[in-house]
C-alpha cells in the first residue's frame, strides 16, 4: 500500500505497536458499537407502512446496514484516537556498520557480468544508499574474510582473502555495541561460508546482542554451466595392492556425462565416465583406484572441465592415502569341516592384501590349521593368550559351539571387539550363533542381535539375497557401479539353502543384507559397533553355492567375501598410530595429527616417550608440539607450526627406557586458496536465516532503496519513541468517504434515495 | 456306563500327554528347527559320477540305471566309508546314495565327486567341458579302481578332453592331501577283492600303485587319481573277515584325507 495513503513509513507500520491514546475504556467503545448496530438495524428493519412503496429485499437492507455500521465503527474508533507507537534511531547519534565480504569468491566475475561481485556491491551501495544511511547515522565500514577490519572505502578493497567466516566477522563487529550505539549491521556477502562459524549457537549469540543484521546477497544463486567436485571421500590408509573406492559428489546444473580422472602425482591411475543426474543437483559416483605399492599416494581427483565452463578450479580435489605393506590379518575358526570354510579360504587367497589364518576342527580332537606361522600357533584350536588373539584384525567363528572356548577366551573375544577395536563375525551353523550357545556368553553383549535360546534356529530354507539401503551404501553391496545392473547382479545370485534366525535386533544394529523367501525377509548380514570395534553376524553358511553355481569367470562370490573381510579388518587400529585429523588442510594453518600409543594388550602404558619429527617438502624441519590428551588413554595431539602451504612428512617414535617400541609415519598437506573456489554461489538461505534470527532483513543487490529507511526504524542503538496519530491518515478519510459514497450509489440504484 | 467313563478318561489322558509333548520346548524333545525351517541338509554328500561306459561295442553312452561301471561297489562302498567318516570326523554326512550325471545341474551342488572304474568311462566334449568347469570352480574328483596300462589309456582318453592343457602328475609324498588328517607315508597297494582272493594285490599289468593328480593354477589338487588300486573294494568289504583289516583302515584314511582336503583347499 502506498506510503501517502498510510500516512507513515511502511517500516513504522512494520515495527510499531498499535494503541489507543485517548485513555477511554474499551468497553465503552464496544457498547457504543452495539448501540450503533441496534440503531442501524432498527432504521432498516423496523416495520413501516409506506404507501405504495415496495420494501427492499432483506439482503439489500443487510448490505446497506453493513456499510452504515462500518462507517459508524470507523468514526467511533477514531474518537478513541488510535496511534502507532514506534521506536526509531535518533538522528546523528547512532552507528551503522557495513561489512563487505572481501574473500576470494567475491572476486568472481559471474556469467555475463562486467564487474566482480565486490565491485557490483560497492557500486550498488555507493549509489545513494550509503549516503542516505550516513545522513542519519555514523557509518563505519569493514571488510571481512576470516575476521573484520575497518576500511575507509569499500570500493578499494584488495580482495581474494582465502576464507569467509561470517560468524566470526559479525561477532567482532557486534562487540562494538558495548561501547557505541550500534543501530544496525549491513552484511554484504555471497554467504559462501567456509569456516562453519554460523551454527545455531553462533546465531543465538548474535541475536542476543539485539542488533539487527541486514544481509545483502551478492552473486547468482546457482551456476548454469558449472561442474563442481563438491565432496571426495577416500580411506586415509590402505594396504598395498588393494583397490581404493572413492566416493564423489558432483554438483551441477547441466546434463549429460562427464569424465573423472584420478592422478597420483602426474600419473593417471584411474578414469571413469560419470552419467550426470538429468534433473541436475547432485550426482554421486564411485570410482575404484588401485592403491599400488607401499608409500604415499598423493591423489588428485579431477572432473573434466566442460567446454563452456567458467570455473575450473572447483573441478579438482586432492587426497592423501598412506599405503602400507602390512596385510590385514584375519583368524577363522571353524568347528566342523564345511564347504563354506573351503570357499571363504579360496576367496581370501585371491586377495594378496588379506592374510587368513584358519583352523578347522576336523575330528573331536584334531585341528587342521592353515596359514599359521609356527607349529605351536592355534595347536589347540584357538589363541591361548590375549596377545595372540589381539594380533589379528578380525576374527571369524563358524559352526563352533561356545562351550569349546574357555571363560577366559570368551572374555578375550569380547575385549577384542570392545578394547582392541577388532571385528568379530559369527557365521550360521549347527553349532553357530544361538544354537551354539553364543547368546549366553560374555561376547553376546557385543552382538547386534539377542540370539534366541531354546528352539533350534538353524535350518534349511531356500532364499535369495537382497541388499538393504545400508548394504547399498557399503562396498559389500556393490557388484556393479550401475544401480540397475547391481540390482540384477544380486537378484540373479543362486539361492542360499539355509538360514539361521538371529533373534531380536538391538537398537544399534544395521542390516546390510536380507534373505528373502516368498514374502518373508530375514536379516542375513547384520553389524553393530561396540566399543572401538564391531560385531557382525551372517545368518547363512551356503554362500559357497554362489561359487559353484556361477560360471568360473563370475567373481561375485570372491568379491563378496573379499569385501566383507576387508570391511571387518580395515577399521582395526594399530598399536601405535599417527593420523592427520584431515589429510588435506584447506586454508587452515593449524595442522593437527592424532597419535595413539598402546601396548600389546591395547592398553596405554606408562613411561612411554614420544618424539616427533616433521619435514616439509623442501627438506626443512618444521617445529612440532606433542600434547597428551591428559586422560591417560594413550592419545596425543601433534601440532605442526607450518609456515606455508605444502606437503609435510611427520614421523613419530615411541620409546621406553631408551628402547624404541615403535615408529610410524604420516603425511599431511596444507593447501591455500582452495575453499573459496567451492560452493561459491550465493547462499541466500543462509543470509536470510542470519537476517531473520537477528531481526534484520535480506535484501537483493538491486533492491536496496528501502534499506536506509529500514535502518531508521531499528530498535537497537540510541532510539526514541514516537507516537504517530492514525485517525488523521488519508486512508481513514478515504474509507469514510467510500462507505458513504457506496451507500449513496446503492440507494440510487435501488431507487431508495 | 462305567466302561464309557473309563474310555473317556483314557482318551483325556492321551490327549493331555500329547498336548504336553507339543508344548515342550523343541530343545527338550530333540531340537526341531525354528518356525518355517526344515532340518538343515547334511554338509557332505558322497556323490558318484554316473558316466557313460566305453566298454560296450566301442564307446557306448550312459544308459541309465545303476548297473553301469560307474555303479561298481555301490552302495555298500560309500555306506561303509561314510560310517567311518561319521565316526572319525566332525563332518556331517548324508547316508543316502547320491549319483549325478555330468550334464546334470545338480553336479554343482556337490563339490566332492567319486568316479570308479574310470578305465571304462567315457566323457564326450560337452561332458568333459562340464567336468572341467566343475573342477575349476572348486569341485574335487576322486577316481578309483582302474588297473593296468589299457585302463589307464581308457581313463586318459576322456581325461585329456577334460584338461587338454594340464598334465597328470605324481602327487609328492609331502603333499598336504597325504597329511591333512592322517600322515599317509605308507604307500601300500590296496587291492580289489577279486585279486586278493586270487592271491595277488594287483590286476592286469598294474603291479605298482600310483597316486597321481591334476592340479589347478594355484597348485591345489583337483583330481585325485588312485591308479592300480581299489579303495572302493576295501570300503565295500570292510565287513568281510577275509579282507585284511589294515588295508581297509588305510583305505578309510586315504578317503578321509581326500574328503578333508577337498573341504579345505
Amino acid at each position: 500500500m502506498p506510503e501517502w495513503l498510510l500516512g507513515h513509513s511502511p517500516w513504522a507500520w512494520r515495527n510499531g505497536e498499535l494503541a489507543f491514546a485517548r485513555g477511554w475504556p474499551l468497553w465503552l467503545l464496544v457498547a457504543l458499537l452495539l448501540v450503533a448496530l441496534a440503531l442501524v438495524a432498527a432504521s432498516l428493519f423496523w416495520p413501516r407502512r409506506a404507501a405504495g412503496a415496495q420494501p427492499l429485499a432483506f439482503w439489500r437492507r443487510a448490505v446497506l446496514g453493513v456499510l452504515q455500521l462500518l462507517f459508524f465503527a470507523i468514526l467511533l474508533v477514531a474518537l478513541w484516537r488510535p496511534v502507532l507507537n514506534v521506536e526509531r534511531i535518533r538522528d546523528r547519534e547512532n552507528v551503522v556498520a557495513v561489512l563487505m565480504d572481501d574473500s576470494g569468491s567475491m572476486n568472481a566475475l559471474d556469467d555475463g557480468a562486467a564487474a566482480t561481485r565486490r565491485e557490483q556491491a560497492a557500486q550498488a551501495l555507493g549509489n545513494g544508499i550509503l549516503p542516505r544511511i550516513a545522513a542519519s547515522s555514523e557509518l563505519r565500514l569493514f571488510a571481512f574474510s576470516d575476521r573484520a577490519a575497518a576500511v575507509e572505502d569499500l570500493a578499494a578493497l584488495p580482495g581474494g582473502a582465502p576464507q569467509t567466516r561470517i560468524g566470526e566477522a559479525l561477532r567482532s563487529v557486534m562487540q562494538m555495541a558495548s561501547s557505541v550505539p550500534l543501530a544496525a549491521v549491513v552484511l554484504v556477502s555471497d554467504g559462501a561460508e567456509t569456516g562453519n562459524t554460523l551454527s545455531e549457537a553462533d546465531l543465538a549469540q548474535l541475536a542476543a546482542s539485539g542488533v539487527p543484521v541486514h544481509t545483502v546477497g551478492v552473486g547468482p544463486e546457482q551456476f548454469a554451466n558449472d561442474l563442481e567436485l563438491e565432496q571426495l571421500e577416500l580411506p586415509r590408509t590402505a594396504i598395498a595392492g588393494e583397490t581404493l573406492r572413492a566416493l564423489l559428489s558432483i554438483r551441477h546444473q547441466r546434463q549429460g556425462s562427464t569424465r573423472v580422472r584420478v592422478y597420483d602425482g602426474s600419473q593417471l591411475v584411474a578414469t571413469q565416465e560419470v552419467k550426470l543426474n538429468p534433473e541436475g543437483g547432485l550426482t554421486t559416483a564411485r570410482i575404484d583406484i588401485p592403491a599400488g605399492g607401499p608409500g604415499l599416494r598423493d591423489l588428485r581427483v579431477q572432473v573434466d572441465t566442460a567446454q563452456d565452463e567458467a570455473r575450473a578450479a572447483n573441478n579438482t580435489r586432492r587426497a592423501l592415502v598412506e599405503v602400507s605393506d602390512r596385510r590385514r590379518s584375519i583368524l577363522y575358526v571353524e568347528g566342523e569341516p564345511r564347504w563354506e570354510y573351503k570357499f571363504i579360504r579360496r576367496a581370501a587367497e585371491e586377495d594378496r592384501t588379506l592374510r587368513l589364518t584358519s583352523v578347522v576342527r576336523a575330528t573331536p580332537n584334531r585341528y587342521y590349521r592353515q596359514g599359521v606361522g609356527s607349529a605351536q600357533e592355534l595347536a589347540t584350536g584357538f589363541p591361548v593368550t590375549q596377545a595372540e588373539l589381539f594380533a589379528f584384525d578380525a576374527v571369524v567363528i563358524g559352526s563352533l559351539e561356545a562351550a569349546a572356548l574357555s571363560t577366559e577366551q570368551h572374555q578375550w573375544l569380547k575385549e577384542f571387539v570392545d578394547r582392541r577395536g577388532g571385528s568379530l563375525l559369527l557365521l550360521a551353523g549347527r553349532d553357530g550363533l544361538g544354537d551354539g550357545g553364543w547368546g549366553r556368553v560374555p561376547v553376546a553383549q557385543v552382538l547386534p542381535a539377542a540370539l534366541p535360546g531354546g528352539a533350534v534356529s538353524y535350518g534349511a530354507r531356500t532364499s535369495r539375497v537382497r541388499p538393504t539401503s545400508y548394504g547399498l551404501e557399503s562396498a559389500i553391496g556393490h557388484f556393479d557401479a550401475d544401480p540397475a545392473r547391481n540390482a540384477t547382479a544380486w537378484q540373479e545370485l543362486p539361492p542360499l539353502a539355509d538360514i539361521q534366525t538371529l533373534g531380536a535386533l538391538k537398537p544399534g544394529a544395521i542390516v546390510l543384507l536380507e534373505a528373502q523367501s516368498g514374502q518373508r525377509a530375514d536379516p542375513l548380514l547384520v553389524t553393530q559397533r561396540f566399543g572401538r570395534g564391531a560385531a557382525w553376524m551372517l545368518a547363512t553358511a551356503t554362500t559357497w553355492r554362489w561359487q559353484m553355481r556361477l560360471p568360473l569367470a563370475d567373481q561375485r562370490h570372491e568379491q563378496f567375501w573379499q569385501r566383507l573381510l576387508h570391511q571387518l579388518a580395515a577399521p582395526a587400529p594399530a598399536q601405535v598410530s599417527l593420523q592427520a585429523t584431515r589429510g588435506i588442510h584447506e586454508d587452515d594453518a593449524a595442522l593437527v595429527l592424532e597419535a595413539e600409543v598402546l601396548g600389546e594388550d591395547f592398553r596405554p602404558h606408562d613411561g612411554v616417550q614420544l618424539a616427533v619429527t616433521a619435514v616439509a617438502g623442501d627438506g626443512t624441519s618444521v617445529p612440532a608440539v606433542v600434547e597428551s590428551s591428559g586422560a591417560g588413554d594413550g592419545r596425543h595431539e601433534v601440532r605442526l607450526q607450518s609456515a606455508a602451504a605444502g606437503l609435510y612428512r611427520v614421523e613419530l617414535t615411541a620409546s621406553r627406557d631408551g628402547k624404541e617400541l615403535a615408529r610410524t609415519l604420516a603425511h599431511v598437506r596444507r593447501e591455500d586458496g582452495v575453499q573459496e573456489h567451492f560452493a561459491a554461489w550465493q547462499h541466500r538461505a543462509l543470509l536470510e536465516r542470519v537476517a531473520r534470527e537477528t531481526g534484520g532483513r535480506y535484501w537483493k543487490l538491486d533492491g536496496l532503496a528501502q534499506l536506509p529507511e529500514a535502518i531508521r526504524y531499528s530498535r537497537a542503538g540510541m532510539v526514541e519513541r514516537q507516537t504517530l496519530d492514525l485517525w488523521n491518515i488519508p486512508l481513514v478519510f478515504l474509507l469514510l468517504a467510500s462507505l458513504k459514497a457506496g451507500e449513496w450509489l446503492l440507494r440510487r440504484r435501488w431507487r431508495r434515495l | 456306563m462305567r466302561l464309557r467313563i473309563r474310555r473317556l478318561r483314557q482318551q483325556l489322558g492321551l490327549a493331555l500327554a500329547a498336548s504336553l509333548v507339543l508344548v515342550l520346548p523343541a530343545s527338550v524333545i530333540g531340537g526341531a528347527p525354528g518356525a518355517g525351517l526344515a532340518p538343515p541338509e547334511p554338509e557332505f554328500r558322497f556323490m558318484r559320477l554316473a558316466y557313460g561306459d566305453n566298454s560296450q561295442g566301442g564307446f557306448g553312452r550312459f544308459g541309465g540305471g545303476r548297473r553301469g561301471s560307474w555303479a561298481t561297489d555301490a552302495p555298500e562302498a560309500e555306506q561303509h566309508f561314510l560310517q567311518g567318516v561319521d565316526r572319525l570326523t566332525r563332518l556331517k554326512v548324508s547316508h543316502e546314495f547320491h549319483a549325478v550325471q555330468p550334464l546334470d545341474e545338480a553336479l554343482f551342488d556337490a563339490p566332492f565327486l567319486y568316479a570308479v572304474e574310470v578305465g571304462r568311462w567315457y566323457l564326450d566334449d560337452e561332458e568333459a567341458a562340464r567336468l572341467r568347469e566343475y573342477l575349476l570352480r572348486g569341485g574335487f574328483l576322486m577316481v578309483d579302481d582302474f588297473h593296468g596300462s589299457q585302463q589307464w589309456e581308457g581313463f586318459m582318453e576322456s581325461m585329456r578332453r577334460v584338461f587338454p592343457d594340464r598334465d597328470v602328475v605324481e602327487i609328492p609324498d609331502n603333499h598336504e592331501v597325504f597329511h591333512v588328517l592322517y600322515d599317509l607315508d605308507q604307500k601300500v597297494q590296496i587291492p580289489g577283492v577279486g585279486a586278493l582272493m586270487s592271491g595277488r594285490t594287483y590286476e592286469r599289468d598294474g603291479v605298482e600303485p600310483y597316486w597321481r593328480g591334476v592340479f589347478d593354477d594355484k597348485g591345489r589338487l583337483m583330481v585325485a587319481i588312485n591308479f592300480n588300486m581299489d579303495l572302493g573294494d576295501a570300503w565295500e568289504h570292510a565287513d568281510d573277515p577275509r579282507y585284511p583289516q589294515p588295508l581297509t583302515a588305510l583305505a578309510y584314511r586315504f578317503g578321509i584325507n581326500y574328503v578333508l582336503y577337498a573341504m579345505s583347499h
Side-chain angles (χ1 to χ4, degrees), chain A residues 28-44:
Chain A
L28 185 58
L29 175 62
V30 175
L32 287 174
L33 284 172
L34 291 174
V35 169
L37 175 65
L39 288 173
V40 168
S43 70
L44 289 171

Side-chain angles (χ1 to χ4, degrees), chain A residues 433 449 452 457-468 496 498-505 510-526 537-540, chain B residues 34-38:
Chain A
L433 297 168
S457 60
Y458 181 65
R461 183 195 292 148
T462 303
S463 52
R464 293 200 172 269
V465 180
R466 185 180 63 183
T468 64
L496 302 172
D498 65 340
I499 188 83
Q500 190 149 10
T501 47
L502 298 179
L505 297 183
I510 295 169
V511 179
L512 285 95
L513 299 176
E514 288 179 333
Q516 192 157 29
S517 177
Q519 295 299 312
R520 180 179 178 140
D522 288 291
L524 185 72
L525 179 64
V526 190
M537 296 196 296
L538 181 63
T540 184
Chain B
L37 291 175

Side-chain angles (χ1 to χ4, degrees), chain A residues 69-306:
Chain A
L69 186 63
L70 284 174
F71 180 83
F72 285 120
I74 290 172
L75 276 181
L76 284 169
V77 169
L79 281 174
W80 257 251
R81 197 189 160 199
V83 293
L84 203 57
N85 290 322
V86 295
E87 287 179 344
R88 48 176 289 175
I89 60 173
R90 295 168 69 159
D91 283 348
R92 315 300 307 163
E93 292 183 17
N94 284 285
V95 171
V96 173
V98 179
L99 278 83
M100 174 71 88
D101 187 345
D102 192 30
S103 66
S105 61
M106 291 290 282
N107 270 355
L109 206 59
D110 294 314
D111 302 337
T116 65
R117 293 179 188 175
R118 188 174 33 261
E119 288 166 350
Q120 291 177 54
Q123 193 178 1
L125 288 169
N127 196 13
I129 303 300
L130 291 186
R132 280 170 59 199
I133 297 173
S136 59
S137 302
E138 180 189 345
L139 261 183
R140 294 197 184 176
L141 306 180
F142 298 87
F144 79 93
S145 53
D146 55 341
R147 64 180 69 86
V151 294
E152 291 293 325
D153 184 3
L154 293 180
L157 300 180
Q163 293 193 48
T164 307
R165 299 172 73 90
I166 295 172
E168 288 284 336
L170 286 174
R171 266 193 298 281
S172 63
V173 169
M174 291 294 191
Q175 284 170 0
M176 277 197 319
S178 59
S179 54
V180 297
L182 186 61
V185 173
V186 179
L187 174 78
V188 187
S189 172
D190 52 19
E193 165 79 14
T194 61
N196 193 24
T197 61
L198 279 171
S199 64
E200 287 292 339
D202 294 326
L203 279 174
Q205 193 184 349
L206 290 173
S209 68
V211 180
V213 177
H214 293 272
T215 55
V216 179
V218 190
E221 292 176 34
Q222 62 182 31
F223 298 140
N225 295 316
D226 191 43
L227 287 167
E228 176 172 316
L229 181 52
E230 185 172 284
Q231 201 170 10
L232 167 64
E233 285 180 28
L234 261 168
R236 304 280 294 285
T237 57
I239 306 289
E242 78 175 328
T243 300
L244 302 166
R245 172 154 288 197
L247 182 65
L248 317 176
S249 300
I250 302 170
R251 186 167 289 282
H252 59 94
Q253 296 303 322
R254 62 191 312 138
Q255 299 175 346
S257 63
T258 186
R259 181 159 285 278
V260 178
R261 298 170 205 269
V262 184
Y263 296 88
D264 179 14
S266 59
Q267 186 189 357
L268 180 69
V269 291
T271 179
Q272 185 175 303
E273 190 80 8
V274 175
K275 190 178 173 190
L276 299 172
N277 181 357
E279 293 167 5
L282 209 59
T283 295
T284 57
R286 292 175 176 81
I287 181 165
D288 290 337
I289 304 165
L296 177 70
R297 295 286 90 79
D298 190 358
L299 298 177
R300 182 163 49 89
V301 180
Q302 184 178 313
V303 178
D304 274 3
T305 309

Side-chain angles (χ1 to χ4, degrees), chain A residues 335-339 341-343 345-346 349-350 361-364 366 368 370 401 430-431 454 456-461 499 520 544-545 547-552, chain B residues 27 31-44 88-92 105 108-109 111 133-134 136-138 176 180-181 218 220 260 262-265:
Chain A
E336 61 186 87
R338 299 203 295 175
W339 294 116
Y341 172 87
K342 167 194 178 124
F343 287 100
R345 271 210 68 85
R346 287 169 77 101
E349 280 169 3
E350 297 282 322
R361 190 163 49 161
T363 78
R366 293 286 300 276
Y368 180 61
Q370 289 172 277
E401 71 278 13
R430 287 175 180 80
D431 289 330
V456 174
S457 60
Y458 181 65
R461 183 195 292 148
I499 188 83
R520 180 179 178 140
W544 64 268
R545 286 169 183 263
Q547 172 63 20
M548 285 304 291
R549 276 283 184 171
L550 291 170
L552 180 63
Chain B
S27 58
L37 291 175
E41 289 183 16
E43 188 71 22
F44 182 78
L88 294 168
T89 74
R90 283 182 55 81
L91 182 56
K92 307 293 184 293
E105 274 299 309
F108 295 104
D109 292 336
E133 176 79 7
Y134 167 85
L136 291 174
R137 287 185 196 178
E176 198 61 18
V180 61
L181 179 62
K218 299 274 188 327
R220 294 175 297 221
L260 292 181
M263 297 190 77
S264 56
H265 289 79

Side-chain angles (χ1 to χ4, degrees), chain B residues 189-241:
Chain B
Q189 190 170 43
I190 298 169
V193 70
L196 195 68
M197 293 303 117
S198 64
R200 287 178 288 129
T201 59
Y202 64 92
E203 296 176 34
R204 301 171 186 261
D205 59 343
V207 179
E208 289 292 322
Y210 293 99
W211 286 264
R212 292 173 175 161
V214 181
F215 293 82
D216 70 7
D217 294 340
K218 299 274 188 327
R220 294 175 297 221
L221 183 64
M222 293 186 289
V223 185
I225 303 165
N226 298 277
F227 178 47
N228 290 341
M229 58 189 120
D230 192 347
L231 274 67
D233 259 9
W235 297 337
E236 182 189 4
H237 298 284
D239 57 350
D240 186 342

